[in-house]
């Protein structure tokens, strides 16, 4: 299998403050990786560079064959292949649940309204919220909101999914329902990059774990290697605090 | 001194008119002068005061009064048409000098200063200033009693000039006000002890029960003339003089004056309800103008506000700069300045006559647009940035994201502030009375300048504003609740 994400020498600075200091990362098709590390280590920034919510200040990012640093590339087209799930859900409060999911397929001309509605309903069933189609986002619990957000991202039928701390803003009793949906996605063969603090979950579903510290990759490997037998002192120190 | 100067000017004027007349007659072998008068079939805009009864006054929604009746009779005999613009005295003079109007007739005294800028007709009325005090006042019986007191007179009038001349000798203070009705009110309520005004105006007001009495003899002087801008519209001036002479000869002139001065019918003997009933048609007309100009102005303001609001959140420093300058200029200057500038200033610069409705609408729109810019910018900024990120991450472009996700939320956030701005603009529209736009408060002024029921009229208008604003706010809030669930 070839790499669907190929990051080379990625750098990102805010003014004089460099937060990503040269990252090489490649993700194979169907691979599930998680980025872990202390806060401020640059996990989320890397994730946001992958769909250009942040513009890299150096290096190249090739996603699905598109070179994101090439100005001629239509970033909107690239983003339609990459689903993103945010920590704070970011559902559109001016629309009903099903309208949230239908918006992108209809607006980008991918589907007509009735196709989009049928697909959205199917996606809601898949995340266990078939009866919430006409609810407003404000009427949902945090866990439900995040499941809708996942359905919304899936509506564009992406081949890559990015999860930016998808469970961090949830009450503990709602984390499980969201992780269950992500677990199902992983089993279906979706290529996924997760930024997460759920170490147990990362160990369970991921093919590879990448430990970041101070804007560089400190250590990476299978969950067994990284969690079971960390090599770097900083990895050990971090894991001892969170496990 | 004031007596002789106008006369000297008058002689020159008469001589000039005569010369022009002879020239006309000599040049054309016509038999009747008015067939060759150069105004036949033409239409003129004549500016006038709003509140100078019995020379200018509103009756049943129409401008009436000595000036108007004379002008009508002259226009008829000389075969021209005219449109009246009631602007207030100073504004009427500005309208003529700026070319907004062709002539002015406003109980205007012929003075040397004014002759520098205007060409006057033959005098059509010999006036004179008199002093009046409150009817209940037994202390002020003459100029000697004025020491240390304050008197009022009308801005730019002969009355003001006379009062100022006397003020040094008798040691009183003179305050200039814009309207007769306001002057009489301030004498009645005691903020001034006396008013100096032209005697026919005072006499008419007292006959209408304005609560004053005359205590001095008339200071002779002050002849009234019709005027055009210096060197302009000489045909019109000519026609006025010819017509006036004809009226005096036929006795029509005396008949018109008697209608107003000999035994004026009183308009103020009704109850409050009579006042309401009598004034309602004119007030409703004013209310319609108020609503019309507010709605048109607010629609333009929304377009401006949206355009500049988006410029304010743009990444381009130039666009942000333009929007900031716009907001700073129109938020940092009074509405009135722009009203005068658009209506009087712009025509002088461009030579194009301004339209009062559009001058007023532009004034309100640019002012409200500046506030709406900030309201809309604030609304757009208040939407969580995560909303834009989520929309963009789905592959929607910036425009689509704005249209479907950001703007609907921003509108919801901004709606209460927008409704508020609409109400402010509606109230601000009353400022346009200063350029003579016939909105609600203007109509009220017209009415109380004739019937002197100032307090009652202001209460009626206040209630009308309150009712309309309450209803409109209720409608807006209801729509807001329905649309922005």
């Amino acid at each position: 299998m070839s790499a669907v994400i190929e990051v080379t020498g990625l750098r990102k600075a805010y003014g004089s403050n460099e937060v990503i200091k040269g990252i090489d990362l490649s993700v194979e098709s169907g691979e599930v990786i998680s980025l872990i590390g202390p806060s401020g280590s640059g996990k989320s920034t890397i994730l946001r560079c992958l769909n250009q919510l942040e513009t890299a200040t150096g290096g190249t990012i090739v996603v699905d064959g598109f070179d994101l640093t090439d100005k001629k590339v239509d970033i909107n087209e690239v983003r339609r292949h990459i689903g993103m799930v945010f920590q704070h859900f970011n559902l559109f409060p001016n629309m009903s649940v099903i309208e949230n999911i239908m918006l992108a397929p209809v607006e980008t001309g991918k589907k007509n309204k009735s196709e989009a509605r049928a697909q959205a309903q199917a996606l809601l069933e898949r995340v266990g919220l078939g009866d919430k189609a006409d609810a407003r986002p404000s009427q949902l619990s945090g866990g439900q909101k995040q499941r809708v957000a996942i359905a919304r991202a899936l509506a564009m039928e992406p081949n890559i999914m990015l999860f930016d701390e998808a469970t961090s803003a949830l009450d503990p009793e709602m984390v499980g329902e969201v992780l269950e949906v992500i677990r199902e996605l992983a089993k279906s063969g979706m290529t996924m990059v997760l930024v997460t603090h759920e170490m147990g979950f990362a160990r369970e579903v991921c093919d590879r774990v990448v430990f970041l510290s101070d804007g560089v990759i400190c250590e990476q490997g299978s969950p067994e290697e990284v969690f079971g037998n960390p090599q770097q002192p900083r990895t050990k120190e971090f894991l001892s605090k969170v496990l | 001194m004031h007596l002789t100067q106008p006369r000297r000017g008058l002689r020159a004027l008469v001589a000039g008119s005569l010369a022009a007349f002879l020239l006309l007659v000599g040049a054309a072998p016509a038999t009747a002068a008015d067939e060759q008068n150069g105004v036949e079939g033409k239409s003129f805009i004549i500016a006038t005061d709003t509140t100078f009864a019995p020379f200018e006054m509103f009756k049943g929604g129409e401008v009436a009064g000595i000036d108007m009746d004379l002008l009508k009779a002259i226009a008829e005999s000389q075969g021209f048409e005219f449109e009246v613009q009631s602007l207030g005295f100073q504004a009427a003079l500005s309208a003529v000098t700026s070319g907004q109007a062709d002539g002015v007739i406003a109980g205007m005294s012929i003075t040397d200063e004014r002759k520098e800028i205007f060409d006057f007709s033959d005098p059509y009325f010999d006036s004179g200033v008199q002093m009046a005090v409150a009817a209940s006042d037994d202390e002020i019986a003459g100029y000697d009693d004025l020491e240390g007191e304050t008197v009022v007179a009308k801005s730019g009038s002969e009355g003001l000039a006379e009062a100022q001349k006397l003020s040094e000798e008798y040691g009183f203070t003179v305050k200039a006000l814009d309207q007769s009705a306001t002057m009489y009110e301030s004498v009645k309520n005691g903020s001034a002890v006396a008013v100096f005004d032209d005697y026919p105006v005072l006499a008419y007001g007292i006959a209408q029960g304005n609560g004053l009495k005359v205590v001095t003899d008339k200071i002779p002087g002050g002849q009234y003339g019709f005027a055009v801008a210096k060197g302009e519209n000489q045909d019109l001036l000519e026609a006025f003089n010819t017509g006036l002479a004809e009226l005096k000869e036929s006795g029509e002139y005396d008949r018109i004056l008697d209608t107003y001065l000999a035994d004026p019918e009183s308009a103020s003997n009704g109850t409050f309800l009579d006042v309401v009933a009598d004034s309602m048609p004119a007030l409703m007309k004013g209310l319609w103008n108020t609503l019309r100009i507010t709605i048109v102005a607010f629609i333009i303001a929304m377009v401006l506000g949206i355009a500049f609001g988006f410029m304010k959140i743009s990444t381009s420093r130039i666009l942000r700069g333009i929007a900031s300058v716009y907001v700073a200029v129109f938020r940092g200057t009074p509405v009135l300045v722009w009203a005068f500038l658009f209506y009087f200033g712009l025509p002088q610069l461009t030579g194009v006559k301004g339209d009062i409705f559009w001058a007023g609408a532009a004034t309100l729109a640019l002012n409200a647009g500046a506030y709406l810019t900030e309201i809309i910018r604030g609304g757009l900024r208040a939407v969580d940035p995560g909303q834009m990120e989520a929309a963009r991450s789905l592959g929607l472009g910036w425009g689509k994201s704005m249209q479907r996700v950001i703007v609907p939320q921003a509108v919801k956030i901004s709606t209460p502030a927008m409704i508020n701005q609409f109400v402010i603009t509606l109230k601000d529209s009353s400022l346009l009375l200063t350029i003579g736009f016939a909105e609600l408060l203007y109509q009220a002024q017209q009415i109380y300048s004739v019937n002197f029921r100032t307090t009652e009229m202001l209460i009626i208008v206040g209630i009308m504003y309150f009712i309309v604003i309450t209803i409109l706010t209720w409608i807006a809030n209801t729509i807001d609740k329905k649309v922005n669930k």
Side-chain angles (χ1 to χ4, degrees):
Chain A
M1 282 248 182
S2 61
V4 288
I5 300 174
E6 191 71 64
V7 175
T8 322
L10 177 69
R11 288 179 178 278
K12 172 70 187 176
Y14 298 99
S16 60
N17 178 25
E18 193 166 56
V19 290
I20 307 291
K21 300 166 182 167
I23 296 274
D24 298 320
L25 183 69
S26 116
V27 183
E28 307 274 298
S29 179
E31 196 178 10
V32 177
I33 73 164
S34 69
L35 307 179
I36 63 170
S39 58
S41 59
K43 314 179 291 284
S44 287
T45 308
I46 294 172
L47 201 69
R48 291 160 61 83
C49 283
L50 295 181
N51 69 353
Q52 290 284 281
L53 286 182
E54 301 284 354
T55 314
T57 41
T60 58
I61 305 166
V62 180
V63 176
D64 235 9
F66 294 102
D67 180 358
L68 298 190
T69 44
D70 183 352
K71 289 265 189 279
K72 277 176 291 199
V73 168
D74 178 5
I75 186 60
N76 291 328
E77 185 53 41
V78 180
R79 282 172 178 154
R80 288 166 199 170
H81 299 259
I82 311 170
M84 179 141 185
V85 175
F86 298 86
Q87 181 178 1
H88 295 289
F89 334 126
N90 298 354
L91 293 183
F92 307 133
N94 54 318
M95 302 175 196
S96 69
V97 163
I98 198 156
E99 285 167 346
N100 263 273
I101 302 170
M102 291 164 62
L103 178 71
V106 172
E107 288 296 341
T108 57
K110 201 176 157 82
K111 289 192 160 56
N112 68 33
K113 270 203 166 173
S114 58
E115 288 167 356
R117 184 173 292 275
Q119 180 210 29
Q121 188 59 45
L123 284 167
L124 281 174
E125 307 284 352
R126 187 169 158 191
V127 299
L129 293 170
D131 57 336
K132 296 290 185 193
D134 296 319
R136 309 298 294 188
S138 58
Q139 296 166 322
L140 303 181
S141 72
Q144 291 171 327
K145 280 181 191 165
Q146 196 59 300
R147 284 187 279 158
V148 171
I150 294 170
R152 180 175 70 178
L154 290 173
M156 286 305 284
E157 294 165 357
N159 31 10
I160 301 165
M161 284 287 284
L162 309 176
F163 290 85
D164 189 4
E165 303 196 23
T167 57
S168 300
L170 296 177
D171 290 336
E173 73 270 24
M174 291 174 185
V175 171
E177 63 193 62
V178 173
L179 291 183
E180 183 53 38
V181 173
I182 300 175
R183 188 179 290 118
E184 287 302 315
L185 263 181
K187 278 188 196 154
S188 73
M190 176 72 73
T191 309
M192 304 207 290
V193 181
L194 286 72
V195 169
T196 185
H197 295 296
E198 299 289 334
M199 295 304 154
F201 182 71
R203 186 171 198 161
E204 175 202 335
V205 301
C206 289
D207 302 311
R208 181 151 51 106
V209 173
V210 178
F211 175 73
L212 289 147
S213 179
D214 286 332
V216 294
I217 294 177
C218 188
E219 184 168 358
Q220 60 177 311
S222 71
E224 290 75 27
E225 289 165 1
V226 175
F227 290 118
N229 185 21
Q231 300 300 307
Q232 300 292 327
R234 271 191 282 184
T235 316
K236 287 179 189 161
E237 187 195 341
F238 173 72
L239 290 176
S240 72
K241 279 182 195 158
V242 297
L243 286 180
Chain B
M1 194 173 72
H2 259 75
L3 260 173
T4 54
Q5 280 170 346
R7 285 214 184 137
R8 215 168 42 228
L10 177 66
R11 264 203 301 276
L13 244 175
V14 171
S17 318
L18 210 67
F21 180 72
L22 289 173
L23 209 85
L24 253 168
V25 173
T31 45
D34 54 37
E35 277 175 22
Q36 295 295 324
N37 62 9
V39 297
E40 182 98 40
K42 288 193 187 166
S43 183
F44 298 95
I45 296 174
I46 308 297
T48 185
D49 199 349
T50 50
T51 56
F52 201 55
F55 291 91
E56 275 79 45
M57 54 205 264
F58 268 67
K59 270 200 161 163
E62 291 271 305
V63 205
I66 295 174
D67 284 351
M68 291 304 113
D69 286 5
L70 283 177
L71 194 59
K72 245 178 253 170
I74 290 169
E76 213 163 282
S77 82
Q78 299 301 303
F80 65 88
E81 291 184 0
F82 66 95
E83 188 194 316
V84 173
Q85 287 192 343
S86 307
L87 301 175
F89 189 71
Q90 290 299 340
L93 300 195
S94 306
V96 172
T97 51
S98 67
Q100 290 278 48
D102 299 304
V104 51
I105 185 162
M108 177 182 180
S109 302
I110 303 170
T111 66
D112 282 353
E113 286 97 336
R114 288 183 184 147
K115 276 193 226 162
E116 309 263 312
I117 353 170
F118 297 102
D119 285 335
F120 279 97
S121 71
D122 301 340
Y124 63 86
F125 188 84
D126 290 313
S127 187
V129 172
Q130 237 174 341
M131 183 176 96
V133 298
S136 56
D137 189 341
D138 298 326
E139 286 169 21
I140 310 285
Y143 305 137
D144 293 328
D145 304 320
L146 290 177
E147 180 149 16
E149 305 283 4
T150 299
V151 307
V152 285
K154 200 171 201 180
S155 313
S157 74
E158 277 294 279
L160 183 65
E162 292 296 345
Q164 277 165 345
K165 256 193 301 176
L166 293 167
S167 66
E168 285 186 26
E169 189 184 338
Y170 294 99
F172 57 89
T173 312
V174 185
K175 203 169 102 187
L177 291 175
D178 246 3
Q179 293 178 23
S180 297
T182 326
M183 297 194 303
Y184 302 161
E185 284 303 309
S186 49
V187 172
K188 275 199 289 183
N189 74 19
S191 57
V193 296
V195 52
F196 281 72
D197 209 347
D198 292 22
Y199 89 84
V201 178
L202 274 179
Y204 180 82
I206 290 166
Q208 297 300 314
N210 68 1
L212 301 186
K213 65 179 178 193
V214 171
V215 289
T216 58
D217 291 333
K218 158 177 153 189
I219 307 167
Q223 291 179 306
Y224 291 173
F226 167 78
V228 295
K230 201 162 188 66
E232 306 284 330
N233 286 304
Q234 297 298 310
D235 288 345
L236 178 59
L237 200 61
E238 192 64 35
F240 186 92
N241 285 337
T242 315
L244 181 62
E246 283 175 18
L247 289 186
K248 281 186 171 165
E249 203 160 303
S250 68
E252 175 75 3
Y253 174 85
D254 290 326
R255 203 193 55 73
I256 290 174
L257 255 58
D258 285 349
T259 319
Y260 292 97
L261 294 179
D263 183 25
E265 63 175 278
S266 175
S268 68
N269 291 332
T271 64
F272 180 73
L273 284 179
D274 292 335
V275 174
V276 173
D278 287 346
S279 54
M280 222 15 99
L283 291 183
M284 290 313 281
K285 209 168 104 190
L287 180 61
W288 165 239
N289 280 333
T290 292
L291 291 175
R292 206 162 57 103
I293 204 163
T294 305
I295 288 165
V296 169
F298 199 74
I299 289 169
I300 301 170
M302 280 300 289
V303 174
L304 292 172
I306 290 167
F308 286 111
F310 271 97
M311 283 164 73
K312 272 232 147 175
I313 59 159
S314 125
T315 47
S316 155
R317 189 176 290 198
I318 296 167
L319 292 183
R320 281 204 313 268
I322 293 171
S324 298
V325 168
Y326 164 70
V327 171
V329 167
F330 284 94
R331 229 171 37 172
T333 46
V335 175
L336 273 184
V337 171
W338 292 101
F340 284 121
L341 204 62
F342 282 133
Y343 192 54
F344 300 123
L346 214 54
Q348 274 177 307
L349 294 176
T350 60
V352 184
K353 271 184 192 174
D355 178 279
I356 193 161
F357 179 84
W358 289 107
T363 303
L364 293 179
L366 286 164
N367 179 266
Y371 287 95
L372 285 171
T373 297
E374 289 299 319
I375 291 169
I376 287 164
R377 180 196 68 99
L380 290 169
R381 277 269 186 82
V383 177
D384 173 12
Q387 293 287 310
M388 183 53 112
E389 289 188 347
R392 297 308 304 274
S393 79
L394 290 166
L396 299 185
W398 185 86
K400 273 274 176 246
S401 305
M402 269 291 167
Q403 182 200 334
R404 296 300 310 273
V405 176
I406 309 301
V407 169
Q409 296 181 52
V411 166
K412 183 179 176 176
I413 296 167
S414 325
T415 304
M418 286 179 187
I419 294 171
N420 199 28
Q421 183 57 46
F422 179 81
V423 170
I424 291 171
T425 303
L426 195 147
K427 288 189 285 186
D428 278 355
S429 71
S430 65
L431 291 169
L432 298 177
L433 71 86
T434 50
I435 58 168
F437 181 68
E439 49 73 58
L440 184 50
L441 188 55
Y442 174 94
Q443 296 287 17
Q445 285 194 344
Q446 300 307 317
I447 295 166
Y448 70 65
S449 69
V450 178
N451 69 9
F452 299 100
R453 307 283 285 254
T454 312
T455 314
E456 284 128 306
M457 288 313 300
L458 290 175
I459 290 172
I460 294 169
V461 165
I463 291 171
M464 285 176 77
Y465 273 113
F466 179 77
I467 291 173
V468 167
I469 286 170
T470 307
I471 291 173
L472 287 177
T473 312
W474 179 80
I475 293 172
N477 284 333
T478 310
I479 294 172
D480 178 30
K481 266 181 217 145
K482 280 239 164 79
V483 177
N484 295 328
K485 269 186 291 198

